[in-house]
Amino acid sequence: MKRQSPLLTAALCIAALSMTACDRDILPGADLEMSGFVTCSTNDNGHIIMIEDDMGQKFTVNDSRYVLGRNTKSRRICTYVIGQDSSAAIRSLYIPKCNAATDIGSIEQERHIFDPVGIESAYIGGGYLNVVMTIMTHDETSYRQHYLEAVRLDSADSLVISFIHNANGDVPVYSKKMYFCIPLSAYSLQKNDAVFLKYRNYSEEDCCLKYVYR
């Protein structure tokens, strides 16, 4: 079983989801562009008034373009520019799949299909297991015929997450990114507990990644 080192995992997370500077030199006092998973807080109108990154940094937002649930917190993938006053101007907003993992025992055996996936990065932050995944499809739209679901595998003493993936015979030509935020609040995890992510990659290797809950 292939295991990925913590240092390599951290490097992948930083490369995929940490801050990305604009296509210019960042000067002291200049605005900074960021991109990654965030938690959005909304007001009575459903407008975003604050975003919080997974390092606990909060930025105020004044933007009425997006209407989410009223007075809620929700996960998004956001590209935003931080101003010198700790405000954030949203450039783009994307909704990841944000569902608890389904217990594998509650899913019919015939649906236990684990076609390959690629894990570009994964980390625990904001109370979630955040995953950037790639699946291979025939073109930019055929990914819609794929079935993807986060599942919890049977384990007596650990939280083990995997993904049922049924590609329905799709031809692997085009790489499509998929984003998941799996809430961990339901699992009574304690500090330093291990969370495992198991999957089969496109080299037909069974992989197991380990993360520590903080």
Side-chain angles (χ1 to χ4, degrees):
M1 182 172 289
K2 183 178 179 181
R3 291 183 178 269
Q4 187 165 295
S5 73
L7 289 177
L8 179 57
T9 300
L12 288 171
C13 294
I14 291 170
L17 289 173
S18 63
M19 66 180 184
T20 56
C22 301
D23 293 329
R24 56 176 171 80
D25 293 332
I26 300 301
L27 302 176
D31 293 344
L32 185 65
E33 184 172 287
M34 311 281 281
S35 185
F37 290 107
V38 299
T39 298
C40 297
S41 299
T42 62
N43 61 13
D44 290 341
N45 297 318
H47 298 151
I48 300 171
I49 57 173
M50 182 177 294
I51 58 177
E52 181 177 358
D53 67 20
D54 287 343
M55 294 178 287
Q57 298 181 95
K58 297 179 179 180
F59 307 99
T60 58
V61 175
N62 182 13
D63 193 329
S64 60
R65 292 175 298 165
Y66 305 98
V67 180
L68 311 180
R70 297 172 56 189
N71 299 310
T72 61
K73 292 186 177 182
S74 59
R75 293 293 279 179
R76 294 293 187 270
I77 298 167
C78 186
T79 298
Y80 54 102
V81 177
I82 299 173
Q84 298 177 44
D85 59 353
S86 293
S87 65
I90 296 175
R91 291 279 182 86
S92 65
L93 207 61
Y94 180 83
I95 304 175
K97 292 180 179 293
C98 190
N99 302 98
T102 304
D103 287 341
I104 190 70
S106 66
I107 299 175
E108 298 87 348
Q109 185 66 40
E110 58 268 22
R111 291 175 55 202
H112 291 192
I113 298 172
F114 295 91
D115 285 337
V117 298
I119 301 298
E120 185 170 300
S121 68
Y123 73 97
I124 292 176
Y128 298 83
L129 175 61
N130 305 283
V131 181
V132 181
M133 174 190 298
T134 57
I135 58 173
M136 300 300 295
T137 71
H138 178 65
D139 54 38
E140 292 188 11
T141 61
S142 63
Y143 73 92
R144 295 169 183 161
Q145 71 187 50
H146 290 232
Y147 181 82
L148 269 172
E149 181 177 0
V151 293
R152 180 183 183 181
L153 302 183
D154 293 330
S155 176
D157 54 3
S158 298
L159 176 58
V160 184
I161 302 295
S162 188
F163 289 93
I164 284 180
H165 177 213
N166 185 354
N168 285 306
D170 196 12
V171 179
V173 175
Y174 175 83
S175 181
K176 172 68 178 179
K177 283 189 180 182
M178 308 292 289
Y179 302 90
F180 289 83
C181 294
I182 301 168
L184 300 177
S185 57
Y187 301 113
S188 301
L189 293 171
Q190 303 297 317
K191 185 177 180 180
N192 296 324
D193 280 353
V195 177
F196 296 92
L197 176 59
K198 290 187 175 182
Y199 66 100
R200 176 166 294 177
N201 67 19
Y202 281 97
S203 297
E204 295 296 334
E205 298 172 318
D206 291 324
C207 303
C208 182
L209 307 181
K210 178 181 177 180
Y211 303 93
V212 178
Y213 183 76
R214 304 294 187 187

